[in-house]
């Protein structure tokens, strides 16, 4: 996520279900008298955890299962602000489950099935608790299908602002970090449970419906059009997006992959938004020389004209940008493309393990801004570092980027001191080792999750040097570290 443009420019229900118990023969059925299920009936089943274990966000995500794929079908009518949805989730149990949770906010559940059988369900705040007709045995694949509808709305967070579904003047959109997906479909809403996606969005004729990944065609029925999208690489749920409205949509191909860009039709055609978003593949190609091959099957971006969105977000394969970034006087707006496209490697392909690891996203993307600036004839990376480092009164010295705390998750330290940490590493190990670290890290952790501790170990392995003191000073301590040598 690029920081806001204006700144840069200046378990009761679960317990009841658990104690009621399921001791059936698992997701593949059978009766208690069937010898094939004798072992299953002797197993102990319990409720899955209503949180995946993130220390900053204990209620985010859920335990006991791993999602492989989401098929999300939604129908949205901007005139009534009403959304009707149907999601099919393909998952595998990692524990013996008598019940399981999904993150789901606001909308009304109409039916739920697990492995085709009707499942009991209950709501507990922003949790949907499902009880299968038979216990889900660890290692067993299962399918959840939920139908729902209602008026979607964003989530309110006192310290992190709003994320989720917004009704706009001509449509709607779903966007936000660290959470947003649960406002438009039931989901295991944490980066630790990445999955592939197929997304179908049905909207009134004449409106665009943009989402992640490869375009999979459009069909019309009556006065409605269904737009289909497919994301075949694992994706963290907060990166799933939908943007509905009047947009200038352009499609092309680059390096054998589809390119889909969209600019709000309310913005003047041919303006800085159109000109800058058209440079998406140029920026991505440069970043590939620094980080290794582009990690996804599609390119693109969406430019909004929405006063409530004053940030950019790295939604997978198709970042979403506020128009405010493109109208700032005296600055080439392609820097924000460099930031969000760098996230396709660092943040999207290589995702955080827990949210405290976010500097692995934002520090790397901010460093990419410096690389791009140097590449396009501006300041060198070294100059950018020295200007930041010289500011002894900067707030970045007060927050350790690898342990920022929940309320400072998107602080300047995570971004700018995170980037400075990478330059300090480069100055310590030399250019050759540094870029082998970046490319090797992106390759080793492709489609996976990562921690700061793992990055430190990897950097030491590639460089052949002990780097603990360097990283302790730059990532975990307060105060201004000594200059790197």
């Amino acid at each position: 996520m690029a920081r806001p443009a204006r700144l840069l420019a200046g378990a009761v229900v679960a317990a009841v279900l658990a104690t009621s118990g399921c001791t059936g023969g698992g997701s593949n059925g059978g009766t208690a008298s069937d010898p094939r299920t004798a072992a299953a009936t002797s197993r102990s089943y319990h409720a899955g955890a209503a949180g995946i274990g993130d220390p900053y966000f204990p209620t985010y995500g859920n335990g006991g299962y791993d999602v492989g794929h989401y098929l999300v079908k939604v129908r949205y009518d901007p005139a009534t602000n009403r959304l009707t949805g149907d999601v099919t989730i393909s998952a595998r149990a990692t524990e013996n489950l008598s019940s399981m949770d999904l993150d789901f906010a606001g909308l009304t559940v109409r039916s739920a099935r697990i492995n085709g059988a009707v499942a009991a369900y209950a709501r507990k705040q922003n949790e949907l608790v499902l009880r299968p007709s038979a216990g889900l045995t660890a290692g067993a694949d299962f399918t959840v299908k939920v139908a729902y509808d209602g008026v979607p709305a964003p989530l309110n967070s006192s310290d992190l602002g709003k994320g989720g579904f917004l009704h706009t003047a001509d449509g709607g959109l779903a966007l936000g970090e660290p959470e947003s997906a649960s406002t438009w479909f039931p989901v295991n809403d944490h980066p630790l449970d990445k999955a592939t996606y197929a997304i179908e969005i049905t909207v009134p004729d004449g409106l665009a419906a943009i989402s992640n990944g490869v375009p999979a065609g459009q069909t019309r029925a009556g006065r409605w059009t269904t737009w289909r999208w497919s994301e075949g690489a694992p994706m963290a749920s907060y990166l799933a997006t939908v943007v509905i409205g009047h947009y200038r949509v352009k499609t092309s191909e680059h390096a054998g992959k589809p390119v889909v860009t969209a600019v709000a039709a309310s913005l003047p055609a041919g303006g800085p938004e159109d000109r800058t978003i058209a440079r998406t593949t140029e920026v991505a190609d440069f970043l590939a020389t620094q980080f290794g091959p582009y990690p996804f099957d599609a390119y693109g971006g969406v430019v909004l004209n929405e006063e409530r969105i004053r940030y950019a977000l790295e939604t997978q394969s198709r970042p979403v940008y506020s128009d405010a970034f493109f109208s700032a006087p005296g600055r080439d707006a392609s820097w924000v493309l460099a930031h969000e496209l760098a996230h396709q490697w660092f943040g999207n392909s290589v995702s955080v393990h827990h949210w405290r690891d976010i500097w692995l996203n934002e520090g790397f993307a901010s460093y990419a801004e410096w690389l791009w600036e140097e590449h396009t004839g501006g300041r060198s990376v070294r100059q950018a570092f020295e200007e930041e480092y010289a500011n002894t009164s900067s707030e970045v010295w007060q927050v350790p980027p690898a342990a920022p705390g929940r309320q400072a998750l998107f602080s300047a330290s995570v971004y700018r001191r995170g980037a400075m940490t990478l330059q300090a590493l480069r100055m310590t190990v030399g250019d050759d080792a540094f870029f082998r670290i970046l490319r090797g890290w992106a390759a080793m952790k492709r489609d996976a999750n990562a921690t700061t501790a793992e990055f430190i170990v990897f950097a030491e392995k590639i460089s052949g040097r002990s780097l603990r003191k360097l990283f302790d000073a730059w990532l975990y301590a307060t105060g201004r570290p000594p200059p790197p040598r």
Side-chain angles (χ1 to χ4, degrees):
M1 175 190 283
R3 300 182 74 217
R6 60 179 181 274
L7 297 179
L8 286 166
V12 172
V13 172
V16 169
L17 292 174
T19 55
S20 62
C22 278
T23 55
S27 62
N28 292 319
T31 66
S33 60
D34 188 336
R36 295 173 299 177
T37 63
T41 58
S42 66
R43 293 188 180 100
S44 174
Y45 291 80
H46 59 266
I52 210 164
D54 193 302
Y56 286 3
F57 302 99
T59 63
Y60 284 18
N62 304 283
Y65 63 95
D66 178 58
V67 177
H69 183 73
Y70 292 92
L71 170 57
V72 183
K73 299 180 180 181
V74 295
R75 179 186 179 104
Y76 182 67
D77 185 356
T80 61
N81 191 22
R82 189 165 187 83
L83 183 146
T84 303
D86 184 307
V87 63
T88 302
I89 302 170
S90 301
R92 175 168 293 177
T94 58
E95 304 170 11
N96 293 334
L97 296 176
S98 60
S99 68
M100 59 172 287
D101 284 24
L102 290 165
D103 300 297
F104 193 45
L107 300 170
T108 300
V109 175
R110 296 302 178 186
S111 66
R113 291 180 175 271
I114 297 180
N115 291 330
V118 173
Y121 61 87
R123 302 297 291 269
K124 180 186 177 184
Q125 297 179 333
N126 290 339
E127 296 280 321
L128 171 60
V129 187
L130 301 174
R131 177 187 170 188
S133 59
L136 302 173
T137 303
D141 294 330
F142 65 95
T143 300
V144 176
K145 187 177 178 67
V146 181
Y148 55 95
D149 58 33
V151 175
L155 296 160
N156 289 304
S157 174
S158 59
D159 53 349
L160 295 173
K162 292 183 177 181
F165 200 98
L166 293 175
H167 183 216
T168 65
D170 63 349
L173 63 92
L175 197 66
E177 184 184 12
E179 60 176 346
S180 60
S182 64
T183 64
W184 59 292
F185 63 96
V187 60
N188 197 13
D189 205 2
H190 191 278
L192 266 178
D193 196 2
K194 297 166 72 169
T196 59
Y197 283 74
I199 298 173
E200 300 183 8
I201 312 151
T202 301
V203 295
D205 287 346
L207 297 183
I210 310 298
S211 191
N212 309 88
V214 174
Q218 301 172 30
T219 57
R220 292 186 63 190
R223 293 178 294 174
W224 297 81
T225 300
T226 299
W227 296 60
R228 294 179 175 85
W229 303 89
S230 177
E231 179 49 81
M235 178 168 70
S237 52
Y238 81 95
L239 299 171
T241 189
V242 56
V243 177
I244 299 166
H246 294 291
Y247 285 83
R248 292 189 293 275
V249 180
K250 294 187 177 181
T251 60
S252 60
E253 187 176 288
H254 179 74
K257 299 178 179 182
V259 183
V260 181
T261 61
V263 177
S266 54
L267 296 168
E273 300 84 6
D274 292 283
R275 295 194 301 271
T276 305
I277 203 72
R279 300 182 69 184
T280 291
T281 56
E282 174 195 352
V283 177
D285 283 351
F286 165 72
L287 295 177
T289 68
Q290 310 296 297
F291 306 147
Y294 181 75
F296 299 121
D297 291 334
Y299 300 89
V302 180
V303 181
L304 307 175
N305 184 9
E306 170 52 59
E307 287 295 323
R308 291 167 293 177
I309 302 296
R310 282 296 176 260
Y311 59 86
L313 187 61
E314 61 269 19
T315 44
Q316 192 153 307
S317 74
R318 198 146 293 114
V320 177
Y321 305 91
S322 165
D323 67 302
F325 288 101
F326 303 94
S327 57
R331 188 175 188 187
D332 177 3
S334 63
W335 71 267
V336 73
L337 270 66
H339 185 106
E340 302 308 335
L341 290 170
H343 275 312
Q344 306 308 305
W345 284 265
F346 306 113
N348 297 12
S349 179
V350 184
S351 299
V352 296
H353 182 88
H354 286 146
W355 280 106
R356 65 188 172 200
D357 299 305
I358 193 172
W359 88 275
L360 292 172
N361 296 7
E362 301 301 348
F364 282 57
S366 297
Y367 193 77
E369 294 177 34
W370 294 353
L371 291 170
W372 176 249
E373 183 178 4
E374 181 178 83
H375 174 70
T376 54
R379 294 179 305 173
S380 70
V381 173
R382 182 69 174 259
Q383 289 172 326
F385 169 84
E386 289 175 348
E387 288 180 19
E388 291 283 359
Y389 185 77
N391 186 356
T392 58
S393 63
S394 173
E395 64 183 285
V396 303
W397 310 124
Q398 307 308 311
V399 176
R406 173 184 167 124
Q407 294 193 9
L409 197 65
F410 300 111
S411 67
S413 177
V414 168
Y415 290 71
R416 287 156 42 200
R417 186 169 165 184
M420 282 191 281
T421 298
L422 292 175
Q423 179 61 16
L425 172 64
R426 182 178 178 178
M427 293 164 67
T428 301
V429 304
D431 282 8
D432 178 69
F434 176 73
F435 284 103
R436 284 192 290 117
I437 290 168
L438 291 192
R439 296 185 190 108
W441 178 247
M444 182 181 75
K445 287 293 186 178
R446 181 169 180 167
D447 295 337
N449 299 83
T451 67
T452 300
E454 289 175 318
F455 178 73
I456 294 171
V457 169
F458 184 76
E460 289 183 325
K461 177 181 177 181
I462 297 301
S463 67
R465 301 183 58 165
S466 174
L467 300 169
R468 300 301 170 125
K469 289 184 179 179
L470 174 80
F471 284 117
D472 283 348
W474 281 91
L475 293 178
Y476 291 104
T478 56
R480 185 168 169 261
R485 298 182 182 276

